[in-house]
Amino acid sequence: MVHRPRHRGRALSALARIDAKILFRPIPPGHPPPIDLAEGLLLRLFRQFVQMFGMPGPGEVDPTPLVAVLVSILFGFMFADVGHGLALSAASLLLWRRYPQTRFLLTCGLSAAGFGLLFGETFGLHSPAATVLPCPLDAPLHTILASIVFGALVLLLGLALSAIEAAWRCGLWEWMWQDGAVLTLYTSGLVSLI
């Protein structure tokens, strides 16, 4: 005998009474299909991040190319080490066929190795002679400032893309009263810092 909680049975019976229909209407003649996504190996690797938030519609920008670049750069800046980055890329190549969702780690590992070269980090060992950029632990304020500037640029890019989408939907006037005010606040805050 299987014991089922009472509240579960009530919830299932409530769901069974819902009367809903899903209609898949054809695209009207003369209109483009609702989704046109860019293709390519790098974009397919990062498409899973975009799909977590839903697919872009006909009046929206496909953010996959930006996500591919920004995730790789941010991961490399955060995980800057030549040895660990190359090990991560090698692990991604080994798991390429069996676990396709780990393929994006290839570009992230290569970015980490690149930033490791710039900072002079290999397997946690710092070599001051090989640095192009100052070590984050030696110049923490510069590292924090670079992170803030990069984050502000990403936010400004997002606001610019939302302005483009608003123009496509003929809603630029509403955008100016909502997100345009946020854009003004961000830019004035950045200018005040300078």
Side-chain angles (χ1 to χ4, degrees):
M1 182 170 151
V2 178
H3 175 67
R4 292 182 180 163
R6 290 183 187 173
H7 59 81
R8 183 176 176 193
R10 277 187 254 145
L12 290 176
S13 65
L15 285 175
R17 286 180 287 187
I18 294 175
D19 185 25
K21 295 179 183 175
I22 299 175
L23 299 176
F24 296 100
R25 296 185 180 177
I27 299 170
H31 286 79
I35 297 173
D36 185 21
L37 301 175
E39 286 298 321
L41 178 63
L42 183 64
L43 300 180
R44 279 186 299 212
L45 298 178
F46 289 89
R47 176 100 42 224
Q48 61 186 337
F49 294 115
V50 175
Q51 287 175 344
M52 284 193 274
F53 297 101
M55 298 302 286
E60 298 176 350
V61 176
D62 180 16
T64 309
L66 291 171
V67 168
V69 172
L70 292 176
V71 166
S72 298
I73 290 173
L74 289 172
F75 187 87
F77 187 70
M78 172 196 70
F79 193 67
D81 191 290
V82 175
H84 291 125
L86 292 178
L88 191 63
S89 296
S92 174
L93 287 174
L94 288 174
L95 300 172
W96 187 272
R97 289 185 184 220
R98 186 170 177 119
Y99 301 104
Q101 64 271 22
T102 62
R103 292 178 180 176
F104 74 95
L105 292 176
L106 176 67
T107 57
C108 291
L110 292 175
S111 176
F115 275 99
L117 282 174
L118 293 175
F119 290 129
E121 293 283 332
T122 305
F123 288 115
L125 302 173
H126 180 66
S127 59
T131 61
V132 177
L133 297 175
C135 177
L137 295 176
D138 294 339
L141 292 178
H142 292 120
T143 306
I144 291 171
L145 185 63
S147 301
I148 290 172
V149 168
F150 188 74
L153 290 176
V154 169
L155 289 173
L156 291 174
L157 180 64
L159 288 169
L161 290 177
S162 87
I164 291 170
E165 290 177 353
W168 287 348
R169 292 188 306 264
C170 299
L172 194 57
W173 186 251
E174 291 84 15
W175 179 89
M176 290 179 67
W177 287 104
Q178 295 171 1
D179 290 339
V182 176
L183 179 63
T184 306
L185 286 173
Y186 278 137
T187 52
S188 62
L190 287 174
V191 170
S192 68
L193 287 176
I194 295 171

